[in-house]
């Protein structure tokens, strides 16, 4: 328990530039029955929080608001007894950072149903990078694309945290992985996590894919957004699947959508947006165990402390990262 009954948190009073993020002292939140208070040890930075800061989150957000759609830490208080104090847990989504205060804080309160327990000796920075990144990558592969061992996968936006996590999971599943980056200097980063073919993205990735795989890839994960989606669709074989998952471009709608003209014949387009219950506890634990054993990696770009939250957001907004930005509390 925090003896002062206060905590430090990052507060957004209203949408705005990076200066709108303020580190302040707030009262320690009290969990309602069926909720859990978590002592946050680390949290990942996500573009969802950038969208909220810039005012793109819609009318569901009220201000002031503590941002953060995920958090990793230990149970501090569970009044209904679902978890024991000290249990290592992760949480994500479910309205965090939008309809109620999120993970950019020393403590956060969330519904017990979106809390995932785990056991690990990995450092908190590594653990803090995992929840939303793994949930999104795993769901995109299994639900969105439905990829099978031995098939090929294109990741459009390969140096994003989700893109790198998807590459790690795909290689563990025996896939041939193609991943894009706009910067040739980042090719080595992708190769280091097992990417088979690094494609420099100047707009026409489909031509590069077809030179390697004339019929196209079996599946693709679109993380850039609608500006690159048509080219990603052209990179995919007949009966292949493209999963629309991310919007790194901050553009996520298609104006005057005419399906017959927009979609290549026989190519399937799906989407993925998951919640905490879309990441099974055994999948999380298995991934953490593989990381501890050296069989998988967690792609982290930079680790910050709470007082450097503006710097972290600025780097995310500039899209200069390769991997996850993590704040250790």
């Amino acid at each position: 328990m925090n003896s002062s009954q206060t905590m430090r948190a990052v507060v957004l009073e209203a949408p705005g530039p990076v200066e709108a993020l303020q580190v302040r002292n707030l009262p320690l939140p009290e969990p309602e029955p069926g909720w859990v208070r978590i002592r946050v040890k680390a949290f990942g930075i996500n573009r969802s929080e950038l969208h909220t800061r810039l005012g793109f989150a819609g009318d569901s957000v009220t201000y002031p608001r503590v941002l953060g759609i995920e958090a990793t830490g230990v149970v501090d208080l569970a009044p209904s007894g679902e978890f024991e104090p000290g249990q290592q847990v992760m949480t994500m989504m479910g309205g965090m950072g939008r309809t109620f205060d999120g993970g950019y804080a020393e403590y956060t309160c969330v519904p017990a149903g979106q809390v995932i327990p785990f056991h690990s000796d990995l450092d908190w920075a590594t653990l803090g990078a995992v929840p939303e990144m793994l949930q999104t990558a795993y769901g995109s592969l299994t639900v969105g694309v439905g990829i099978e061992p031995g098939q090929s996968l294109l990741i459009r936006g390969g140096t994003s945290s989700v893109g790198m996590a998807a590459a790690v999971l795909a290689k563990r599943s025996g896939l041939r992985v193609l991943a894009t980056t706009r910067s040739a200097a980042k090719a080595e980063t992708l190769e280091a996590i097992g990417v088979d073919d690094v494609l420099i993205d100047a707009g026409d990735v489909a031509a590069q894919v077809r030179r390697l795989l004339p019929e196209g890839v079996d599946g693709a994960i679109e993380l850039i957004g609608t500006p690159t989606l048509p080219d990603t669709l052209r990179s995919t074989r007949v009966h292949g699947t493209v999963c629309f998952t991310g919007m790194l471009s901050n553009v996520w709608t298609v104006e005057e959508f005419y399906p017959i003209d927009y979609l290549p014949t026989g190519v399937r387009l799906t989407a993925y947006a998951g919640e905490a219950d879309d990441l099974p506890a055994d999948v999380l634990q298995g991934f953490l165990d593989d990381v501890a054993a050296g069989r998988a990696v967690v792609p982290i770009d930079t680790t910050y402390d709470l007082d450097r939250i503006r710097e972290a957001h600025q780097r995310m907004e500039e899209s200069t990262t390769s991997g996850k930005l993590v704040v250790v509390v």
Side-chain angles (χ1 to χ4, degrees):
M1 178 70 69
N2 186 331
S3 59
S4 68
Q5 299 300 306
T6 64
M7 67 172 186
R8 300 179 75 227
V10 179
V11 179
L12 180 68
E13 292 286 349
V18 70
E19 289 77 15
L21 298 174
Q22 304 285 336
V23 179
R24 295 181 180 172
N25 287 326
L26 296 180
L28 196 68
E30 290 295 332
E32 303 173 7
W35 286 54
V36 176
R37 185 167 68 201
I38 298 170
R39 172 65 175 98
V40 180
K41 296 291 188 177
F43 59 83
I45 303 290
N46 299 278
R47 292 193 74 85
S48 172
E49 293 127 23
L50 174 62
H51 294 159
T52 300
R53 177 170 65 76
L54 295 177
F56 299 154
D59 297 333
S60 64
V61 184
T62 56
Y63 301 94
R65 177 62 64 212
V66 176
L67 296 183
I69 64 169
E70 64 176 318
T72 298
V74 297
V75 173
D76 182 61
L77 181 62
S80 299
E82 298 91 345
F83 298 95
E84 292 293 326
Q87 168 69 60
Q88 291 179 301
V89 291
M90 295 182 182
T91 185
M92 71 203 81
M93 303 296 286
M96 288 182 68
R98 291 193 170 183
T99 59
F100 60 90
D101 285 342
Y104 282 23
E106 293 179 325
Y107 293 83
T108 189
C109 288
V110 301
Q114 66 180 67
V115 177
I116 310 173
F118 68 92
H119 299 278
S120 180
D121 292 326
L122 293 169
D123 63 274
W124 286 113
T126 300
L127 294 169
V130 170
E132 180 62 10
M133 180 175 67
L134 180 64
Q135 182 267 127
T136 304
Y138 174 78
S140 297
L141 286 167
T142 59
V143 177
V145 179
I147 207 76
E148 299 290 340
Q151 292 186 322
S152 57
L153 175 75
L154 171 65
I155 302 172
R156 193 70 178 260
T159 56
S160 65
S161 61
V162 172
M164 295 178 75
V168 170
L169 293 180
K171 290 305 298 179
R172 289 172 67 222
S173 300
L175 276 63
R176 177 176 177 177
V177 177
L178 299 77
T180 72
T181 175
R182 292 178 297 175
S183 171
K186 295 183 178 181
E188 187 175 344
T189 299
L190 292 174
E191 292 167 351
I193 61 171
V195 170
D196 298 289
D197 302 282
V198 178
L199 310 179
I200 307 304
D201 191 349
D204 188 4
V205 167
Q208 298 181 64
V209 170
R210 297 284 177 167
R211 283 195 290 270
L212 295 168
L213 298 167
E215 293 185 0
V217 291
D218 296 300
I221 298 175
E222 176 60 68
L223 297 170
I224 303 299
T226 56
T228 54
L229 180 58
D231 187 59
T232 300
L233 288 162
R234 291 193 296 270
S235 303
T236 307
R237 67 167 175 83
V238 172
H239 296 160
T241 301
V242 176
C243 177
F244 188 90
T245 297
M247 299 162 285
L248 295 171
S249 63
N250 291 338
V251 181
W252 50 84
T253 59
V254 179
E255 295 185 8
E256 299 181 0
F257 177 64
Y258 176 42
I260 291 177
D261 181 59
Y262 192 90
L263 297 171
T265 298
V267 177
R268 300 165 176 141
L269 176 62
T270 67
Y272 179 77
E275 296 285 343
D277 57 7
D278 292 305
L279 178 60
D282 62 333
V283 171
L284 169 60
Q285 188 64 56
F287 179 77
L288 296 178
D289 292 345
D290 281 352
V291 173
R295 295 186 294 267
V297 297
V298 176
I300 296 176
D301 183 290
T302 309
T303 300
Y304 300 88
D305 59 34
L306 204 61
D307 290 319
R308 297 175 65 198
I309 191 68
R310 290 181 178 179
E311 181 182 344
H313 257 248
Q314 189 65 48
R315 288 218 37 227
M316 176 171 56
E317 189 168 1
E318 294 169 352
S319 298
T320 59
T321 61
S322 297
K324 192 77 170 181
L325 301 176
V326 182
V327 174
V328 177
V329 182

Short mmCIF file of all heavy atoms in Angstrom, two decimals, residues 72-74 86-90 117-124 126-128 130 284-293 298:
data_model
loop_
_atom_site.label_atom_id
_atom_site.label_comp_id
_atom_site.label_asym_id
_atom_site.label_seq_id
_atom_site.Cartn_x
_atom_site.Cartn_y
_atom_site.Cartn_z
N THR A 72 1.52 -3.84 -16.72
CA THR A 72 2.08 -5.07 -16.17
C THR A 72 2.57 -4.78 -14.77
O THR A 72 3.18 -3.73 -14.52
CB THR A 72 3.25 -5.56 -17.03
OG1 THR A 72 2.78 -5.86 -18.35
CG2 THR A 72 3.89 -6.81 -16.44
N GLY A 73 2.27 -5.68 -13.84
CA GLY A 73 2.71 -5.44 -12.46
C GLY A 73 2.30 -6.56 -11.54
O GLY A 73 2.26 -7.74 -11.94
N VAL A 74 1.95 -6.20 -10.32
CA VAL A 74 1.52 -7.17 -9.33
C VAL A 74 0.21 -6.72 -8.70
O VAL A 74 -0.07 -5.52 -8.60
CB VAL A 74 2.59 -7.37 -8.22
CG1 VAL A 74 3.88 -7.92 -8.81
CG2 VAL A 74 2.86 -6.07 -7.49
N GLY A 86 0.34 -9.60 -4.68
CA GLY A 86 1.68 -10.01 -5.10
C GLY A 86 1.72 -10.84 -6.35
O GLY A 86 2.80 -11.04 -6.93
N GLN A 87 0.56 -11.35 -6.81
CA GLN A 87 0.51 -12.14 -8.04
C GLN A 87 0.92 -11.28 -9.23
O GLN A 87 0.43 -10.17 -9.42
CB GLN A 87 -0.90 -12.68 -8.26
CG GLN A 87 -1.15 -13.29 -9.64
CD GLN A 87 -0.41 -14.58 -9.86
OE1 GLN A 87 -0.62 -15.53 -9.14
NE2 GLN A 87 0.48 -14.61 -10.84
N GLN A 88 1.83 -11.79 -10.05
CA GLN A 88 2.20 -11.10 -11.28
C GLN A 88 1.05 -11.16 -12.27
O GLN A 88 0.47 -12.22 -12.50
CB GLN A 88 3.44 -11.74 -11.90
CG GLN A 88 4.73 -11.56 -11.13
CD GLN A 88 5.89 -12.26 -11.81
OE1 GLN A 88 5.85 -13.47 -12.01
NE2 GLN A 88 6.91 -11.51 -12.17
N VAL A 89 0.73 -10.01 -12.87
CA VAL A 89 -0.41 -9.95 -13.80
C VAL A 89 -0.13 -8.95 -14.92
O VAL A 89 0.70 -8.06 -14.80
CB VAL A 89 -1.72 -9.54 -13.08
CG1 VAL A 89 -2.19 -10.63 -12.13
CG2 VAL A 89 -1.56 -8.21 -12.36
N MET A 90 -0.86 -9.15 -16.00
CA MET A 90 -0.92 -8.20 -17.09
C MET A 90 -2.38 -7.87 -17.35
O MET A 90 -3.27 -8.67 -17.07
CB MET A 90 -0.30 -8.77 -18.37
CG MET A 90 1.18 -9.04 -18.28
SD MET A 90 1.85 -9.67 -19.85
CE MET A 90 3.56 -9.92 -19.39
N PRO A 117 -2.97 -13.65 -15.22
CA PRO A 117 -1.85 -13.97 -14.33
C PRO A 117 -0.72 -14.66 -15.08
O PRO A 117 -0.94 -15.31 -16.11
CB PRO A 117 -2.49 -14.91 -13.31
CG PRO A 117 -3.57 -15.59 -14.07
CD PRO A 117 -4.10 -14.57 -15.05
N PHE A 118 0.49 -14.54 -14.55
CA PHE A 118 1.64 -15.24 -15.12
C PHE A 118 2.71 -15.35 -14.04
O PHE A 118 2.61 -14.74 -12.97
CB PHE A 118 2.19 -14.48 -16.34
CG PHE A 118 2.82 -13.16 -16.01
CD1 PHE A 118 4.18 -13.04 -15.74
CD2 PHE A 118 2.05 -12.00 -15.95
CE1 PHE A 118 4.76 -11.82 -15.42
CE2 PHE A 118 2.62 -10.77 -15.63
CZ PHE A 118 3.97 -10.68 -15.36
N HIS A 119 3.74 -16.13 -14.33
CA HIS A 119 4.90 -16.26 -13.44
C HIS A 119 6.15 -16.13 -14.30
O HIS A 119 6.31 -16.88 -15.27
CB HIS A 119 4.89 -17.60 -12.71
CG HIS A 119 3.71 -17.83 -11.84
ND1 HIS A 119 3.61 -17.33 -10.56
CD2 HIS A 119 2.54 -18.49 -12.09
CE1 HIS A 119 2.44 -17.68 -10.04
NE2 HIS A 119 1.77 -18.38 -10.94
N SER A 120 7.04 -15.21 -13.95
CA SER A 120 8.25 -15.04 -14.75
C SER A 120 9.32 -14.31 -13.95
O SER A 120 9.00 -13.44 -13.12
CB SER A 120 7.95 -14.24 -16.03
OG SER A 120 9.12 -14.07 -16.79
N ASP A 121 10.57 -14.66 -14.21
CA ASP A 121 11.71 -13.97 -13.63
C ASP A 121 12.31 -12.95 -14.59
O ASP A 121 13.36 -12.36 -14.30
CB ASP A 121 12.80 -14.97 -13.22
CG ASP A 121 12.36 -15.85 -12.05
OD1 ASP A 121 11.61 -15.34 -11.19
OD2 ASP A 121 12.75 -17.04 -12.02
N LEU A 122 11.67 -12.74 -15.75
CA LEU A 122 12.15 -11.72 -16.68
C LEU A 122 12.05 -10.34 -16.03
O LEU A 122 11.24 -10.11 -15.14
CB LEU A 122 11.32 -11.75 -17.96
CG LEU A 122 11.46 -13.01 -18.83
CD1 LEU A 122 10.38 -13.02 -19.91
CD2 LEU A 122 12.85 -13.08 -19.46
N ASP A 123 12.88 -9.40 -16.50
CA ASP A 123 12.85 -8.06 -15.94
C ASP A 123 11.55 -7.35 -16.34
O ASP A 123 10.89 -7.71 -17.32
CB ASP A 123 14.06 -7.26 -16.43
CG ASP A 123 14.06 -7.08 -17.94
OD1 ASP A 123 14.56 -7.97 -18.65
OD2 ASP A 123 13.54 -6.06 -18.41
N TRP A 124 11.21 -6.34 -15.55
CA TRP A 124 9.92 -5.67 -15.76
C TRP A 124 9.84 -4.94 -17.09
O TRP A 124 8.76 -4.84 -17.68
CB TRP A 124 9.62 -4.73 -14.60
CG TRP A 124 9.23 -5.45 -13.35
CD1 TRP A 124 9.91 -5.53 -12.18
CD2 TRP A 124 8.04 -6.23 -13.15
NE1 TRP A 124 9.24 -6.30 -11.26
CE2 TRP A 124 8.09 -6.74 -11.83
CE3 TRP A 124 6.94 -6.56 -13.95
CZ2 TRP A 124 7.08 -7.56 -11.31
CZ3 TRP A 124 5.93 -7.35 -13.43
CH2 TRP A 124 6.01 -7.85 -12.12
N THR A 126 11.07 -5.93 -19.95
CA THR A 126 10.70 -6.95 -20.94
C THR A 126 9.25 -7.35 -20.78
O THR A 126 8.49 -7.41 -21.76
CB THR A 126 11.61 -8.18 -20.80
OG1 THR A 126 12.97 -7.79 -21.00
CG2 THR A 126 11.24 -9.26 -21.80
N LEU A 127 8.83 -7.60 -19.56
CA LEU A 127 7.44 -8.00 -19.31
C LEU A 127 6.46 -6.90 -19.70
O LEU A 127 5.39 -7.16 -20.24
CB LEU A 127 7.27 -8.37 -17.84
CG LEU A 127 8.02 -9.62 -17.37
CD1 LEU A 127 8.00 -9.71 -15.85
CD2 LEU A 127 7.43 -10.87 -18.00
N GLY A 128 6.84 -5.65 -19.44
CA GLY A 128 5.95 -4.54 -19.74
C GLY A 128 5.70 -4.34 -21.22
O GLY A 128 4.70 -3.73 -21.61
N VAL A 130 5.08 -6.70 -23.33
CA VAL A 130 4.43 -7.87 -23.92
C VAL A 130 2.93 -7.77 -24.15
O VAL A 130 2.45 -8.14 -25.23
CB VAL A 130 4.76 -9.13 -23.08
CG1 VAL A 130 3.90 -10.32 -23.50
CG2 VAL A 130 6.23 -9.47 -23.19
N LEU A 284 0.31 -16.76 -23.27
CA LEU A 284 1.18 -15.77 -22.64
C LEU A 284 2.31 -16.45 -21.88
O LEU A 284 3.49 -16.10 -22.04
CB LEU A 284 0.37 -14.88 -21.70
CG LEU A 284 1.16 -13.95 -20.78
CD1 LEU A 284 2.02 -12.98 -21.58
CD2 LEU A 284 0.23 -13.21 -19.83
N GLN A 285 1.96 -17.41 -21.03
CA GLN A 285 2.99 -18.07 -20.23
C GLN A 285 3.99 -18.81 -21.10
O GLN A 285 5.20 -18.76 -20.86
CB GLN A 285 2.34 -19.06 -19.25
CG GLN A 285 3.31 -19.64 -18.23
CD GLN A 285 3.89 -18.58 -17.31
OE1 GLN A 285 3.15 -17.86 -16.64
NE2 GLN A 285 5.22 -18.47 -17.27
N GLY A 286 3.51 -19.47 -22.15
CA GLY A 286 4.41 -20.17 -23.05
C GLY A 286 5.38 -19.24 -23.75
O GLY A 286 6.57 -19.55 -23.92
N PHE A 287 4.87 -18.07 -24.15
CA PHE A 287 5.73 -17.09 -24.80
C PHE A 287 6.80 -16.57 -23.84
O PHE A 287 7.98 -16.49 -24.18
CB PHE A 287 4.90 -15.93 -25.35
CG PHE A 287 5.71 -14.86 -26.02
CD1 PHE A 287 6.22 -15.05 -27.30
CD2 PHE A 287 5.98 -13.65 -25.37
CE1 PHE A 287 6.98 -14.07 -27.91
CE2 PHE A 287 6.73 -12.67 -25.98
CZ PHE A 287 7.23 -12.88 -27.26
N LEU A 288 6.39 -16.24 -22.62
CA LEU A 288 7.36 -15.75 -21.62
C LEU A 288 8.40 -16.82 -21.31
O LEU A 288 9.59 -16.50 -21.15
CB LEU A 288 6.63 -15.32 -20.36
CG LEU A 288 5.66 -14.15 -20.48
CD1 LEU A 288 4.98 -13.88 -19.14
CD2 LEU A 288 6.35 -12.90 -20.99
N ASP A 289 7.98 -18.06 -21.22
CA ASP A 289 8.93 -19.14 -20.97
C ASP A 289 9.92 -19.28 -22.12
O ASP A 289 11.12 -19.53 -21.90
CB ASP A 289 8.18 -20.47 -20.76
CG ASP A 289 7.36 -20.50 -19.47
OD1 ASP A 289 7.59 -19.63 -18.59
OD2 ASP A 289 6.49 -21.37 -19.35
N ASP A 290 9.43 -19.12 -23.35
CA ASP A 290 10.32 -19.19 -24.51
C ASP A 290 11.32 -18.04 -24.51
O ASP A 290 12.49 -18.22 -24.88
CB ASP A 290 9.51 -19.18 -25.81
CG ASP A 290 8.90 -20.54 -26.12
OD1 ASP A 290 9.24 -21.52 -25.42
OD2 ASP A 290 8.09 -20.63 -27.07
N VAL A 291 10.86 -16.85 -24.12
CA VAL A 291 11.78 -15.71 -24.04
C VAL A 291 12.86 -16.00 -22.99
O VAL A 291 14.06 -15.78 -23.23
CB VAL A 291 11.02 -14.42 -23.69
CG1 VAL A 291 12.00 -13.27 -23.43
CG2 VAL A 291 10.07 -14.05 -24.82
N ALA A 292 12.46 -16.50 -21.84
CA ALA A 292 13.42 -16.80 -20.77
C ALA A 292 14.43 -17.85 -21.19
O ALA A 292 15.60 -17.81 -20.79
CB ALA A 292 12.67 -17.25 -19.51
N ALA A 293 13.99 -18.78 -22.05
CA ALA A 293 14.87 -19.86 -22.50
C ALA A 293 15.67 -19.48 -23.75
O ALA A 293 16.46 -20.30 -24.23
CB ALA A 293 14.04 -21.11 -22.78
N VAL A 298 11.69 -10.43 -27.20
CA VAL A 298 10.74 -9.32 -27.09
C VAL A 298 11.40 -8.09 -27.70
O VAL A 298 12.41 -7.61 -27.18
CB VAL A 298 10.36 -9.06 -25.62
CG1 VAL A 298 9.44 -7.84 -25.53
CG2 VAL A 298 9.69 -10.28 -25.02
#
